[in-house]
Amino acid sequence: MDEAVERRRFLGLTAAAAALGLTATVAGCGTLGGDSGDVTLKLVAADYDLNGGDSTKKYWADLVAAFEAKHPGVKVEVQVLSWDDVDRRVAEMVKDGEAPDIAQIGAYSDYAAAGQLYAAEELLSIPVQANFLGPLASAGAYKRTQYGMPFVASTRPLFYNKALFQEAGAKAPTTWDELVEAAEKLKAKGVTTPFALPLGPEEAQAEALMWLLAGGGGWTDASDRYAVDSEANVRTFEWLRTHLVGKDLTGPIAPGKLNRKTAFAAFASGEVGMLNGHPSLLKEAAKRGVQVGQVPLPGAEGTPRTSMGVADWIMGFRQNGHHKEIGDFLNFVFSDENVLKFAGDNDLLPATVTASTRMETDPEHENLRVFLKVLPDAQLPPVGKTSWAKVSENIKQNIGKAVTPGARPSEVLGRIGRDATALENAE
């Protein structure tokens, strides 16, 4: 049986099992329906509107209205904050003893380690918890117990500008050698940035992980220990330094100073030939008339065995003790209709099997199928490690140095790796 058929069979069986299980009532788990008394839940959520609008606020307002109509006596107050502020503000609330009941933010592990979160199994019905895609559920676990519930996800294929490729006579690459060949043709045609490599402090830890996986490495090894300066990782950064940066194929801004936001804006303006893309970029590029091609990120010898996935998290805090009401609300949040509404509106991927299956067959979301295809096997950053926040920040600030002319990637990765291991050992 080929891989595509096998995957459809797996998703179909899992979806069917989940759908059948939705009729079950599980003692001790939050279930829909019924009066929970006079309780007000406080939810803090991140703002996903890229254009400064109120689409995220409207989503939560509509969802809360529908939930409250089914749960008399339970109110939900929602505070939507920008991604620049939301993680910090929630941390401040928790520190001040004013934790929200529910937070939808970028990280969960510190709160799980401090015993401040409900486990997913304490809140969700069995069918709802079983419906999360496997890699996302695993990434939401701290010490083998799931505390972080994946809210939305994304993967990152290679985007290329179809018009620029046609003018340059280039073809979509499937290997690193072909990627360089295409970039050189783009450069010869005067393309400002043949390949955008954003290793600046905005999101360098994610951009770097894409390349590490494509080169057979990653931030951690098979034992989930940090392996930042593994042989595979060093080889990958030596290749980037020599064959992309060293051949002047990455544009006028040094990769270590180039942030994702700037790279995406340049791609949408038609100045970039290729970059590792994000679903949200598709809509912006289309608005500006850029036709986007999508292929899996090439590896050293072809398509890598795994690609990078990213998830944002939602979690329930213990402080106010609203166990049942939080569970009722989160079971409602993860209904297919609500999951698909948010993911579809924001060009992101559902975190559940059933919603992913429905999106994959919906013609409206055809442009997201290349992202959906790789999500079930994607590898996420080690977000379950309480040390990851500090390690990630170190990577953001320093990984770009590994591709500067004359740099020794082994030394840069070695310093980051030693610091990572020290932080992990200190836990």
Side-chain angles (χ1 to χ4, degrees):
M1 183 179 295
D2 68 59
E3 181 180 352
V5 172
E6 179 63 28
R7 179 175 176 276
R8 287 194 295 270
R9 178 177 176 273
F10 167 77
L11 289 177
L13 289 172
T14 308
L20 289 170
L22 285 171
T23 61
T25 300
V26 183
C29 292
T31 56
L32 295 178
D35 181 13
S36 300
D38 296 326
V39 169
T40 297
L41 298 177
K42 294 183 179 180
L43 164 66
V44 177
D47 189 356
Y48 286 77
D49 196 310
L50 297 176
N51 300 311
D54 62 356
S55 62
T56 301
K57 291 180 181 179
K58 186 178 186 306
Y59 170 82
W60 285 114
D62 292 345
L63 184 149
V64 165
F67 172 79
E68 290 177 350
K70 295 184 178 182
H71 295 78
V74 183
K75 302 295 181 185
V76 183
E77 295 179 354
V78 182
Q79 183 179 13
V80 176
L81 300 172
S82 75
W83 273 112
D84 292 339
D85 300 323
V86 67
D87 288 282
R88 174 180 56 81
R89 289 285 297 278
V90 169
E92 291 171 352
M93 293 175 191
V94 174
K95 184 178 180 181
D96 293 341
E98 299 176 353
D101 296 285
I102 303 165
Q104 188 275 298
I105 52 178
Y108 70 87
S109 58
D110 284 354
Y111 304 120
Q116 295 165 328
L117 300 180
Y118 287 112
E121 64 187 12
E122 297 178 87
L123 300 173
L124 302 178
S125 68
I126 289 175
V128 171
Q129 187 179 3
N131 198 25
F132 292 126
L133 289 162
L136 305 183
S138 297
Y142 171 74
K143 292 188 175 179
R144 299 185 180 182
T145 297
Q146 184 181 1
Y147 294 94
M149 290 158 273
F151 183 64
V152 285
S154 68
T155 55
R156 308 286 173 86
L158 179 74
F159 283 7
Y160 63 94
N161 184 313
K162 286 186 175 181
L164 294 181
F165 263 60
Q166 186 174 2
E167 292 170 10
K171 65 176 184 178
T174 61
T175 67
W176 284 357
D177 286 345
E178 290 179 0
L179 189 151
V180 170
E181 180 182 350
E184 289 175 333
K185 289 182 177 180
L186 291 165
K187 180 182 177 182
K189 282 291 184 179
V191 175
T192 306
T193 303
F195 193 101
L197 184 65
L199 293 174
E202 180 187 353
E203 207 197 24
Q205 84 290 354
E207 179 71 21
L209 179 56
M210 291 180 246
W211 287 101
L212 298 183
L213 293 173
W219 293 130
T220 55
D221 60 20
S223 301
D224 198 36
R225 306 289 292 181
Y226 285 116
V228 177
D229 59 343
S230 68
E231 289 184 9
N233 290 352
V234 170
R235 283 197 305 270
T236 294
F237 269 85
E238 287 177 342
W239 185 89
L240 289 170
R241 180 204 60 193
T242 302
H243 296 284
L244 282 186
V245 182
K247 294 182 178 179
D248 195 25
L249 299 175
T250 53
I253 302 176
K257 297 183 181 299
L258 179 64
N259 282 326
R260 184 188 68 167
K261 184 176 181 179
T262 302
F264 279 15
F267 183 86
S269 297
E271 302 168 18
V272 172
M274 295 176 278
L275 49 61
N276 294 327
H278 183 284
S280 63
L281 179 56
L282 290 174
K283 189 176 293 184
E284 187 62 27
K287 285 180 185 177
R288 302 197 185 188
V290 174
Q291 290 187 310
V292 181
Q294 303 175 51
V295 293
L297 176 63
E301 304 296 335
T303 304
R305 288 176 298 178
T306 186
S307 61
M308 186 194 72
V310 176
D312 299 326
W313 307 96
I314 194 165
M315 62 212 70
F317 281 87
R318 291 183 174 275
Q319 180 177 310
N320 301 317
H322 297 147
H323 161 264
K324 181 182 185 303
E325 294 79 12
I326 294 172
D328 287 348
F329 184 73
L330 290 176
N331 279 312
F332 188 73
V333 165
F334 285 111
S335 69
D336 276 1
E337 289 70 22
N338 290 326
V339 170
L340 284 167
K341 172 65 175 170
F342 192 87
D345 285 354
N346 293 280
D347 282 328
L348 292 167
L349 307 182
T352 64
V353 172
T354 51
S356 293
T357 302
R358 285 176 58 175
M359 179 177 275
E360 189 173 26
T361 58
D362 187 343
E364 180 183 353
H365 301 296
E366 184 177 358
N367 63 340
L368 295 178
R369 287 176 185 168
V370 67
F371 300 89
L372 287 164
K373 181 179 180 181
V374 298
L375 183 59
D377 298 314
Q379 181 173 322
L380 277 71
V383 292
K385 292 178 176 290
T386 56
S387 59
W388 175 243
K390 292 180 179 178
V391 173
S392 176
E393 186 61 30
N394 190 5
I395 293 168
K396 290 179 184 180
Q397 299 299 325
N398 293 297
I399 197 69
K401 299 173 183 176
V403 297
T404 56
R408 294 177 60 88
S410 59
E411 294 179 356
V412 177
L413 294 174
R415 286 193 295 270
I416 297 172
R418 287 190 293 274
D419 289 345
T421 298
L423 285 166
E424 185 171 42
N425 292 339
E427 292 180 359

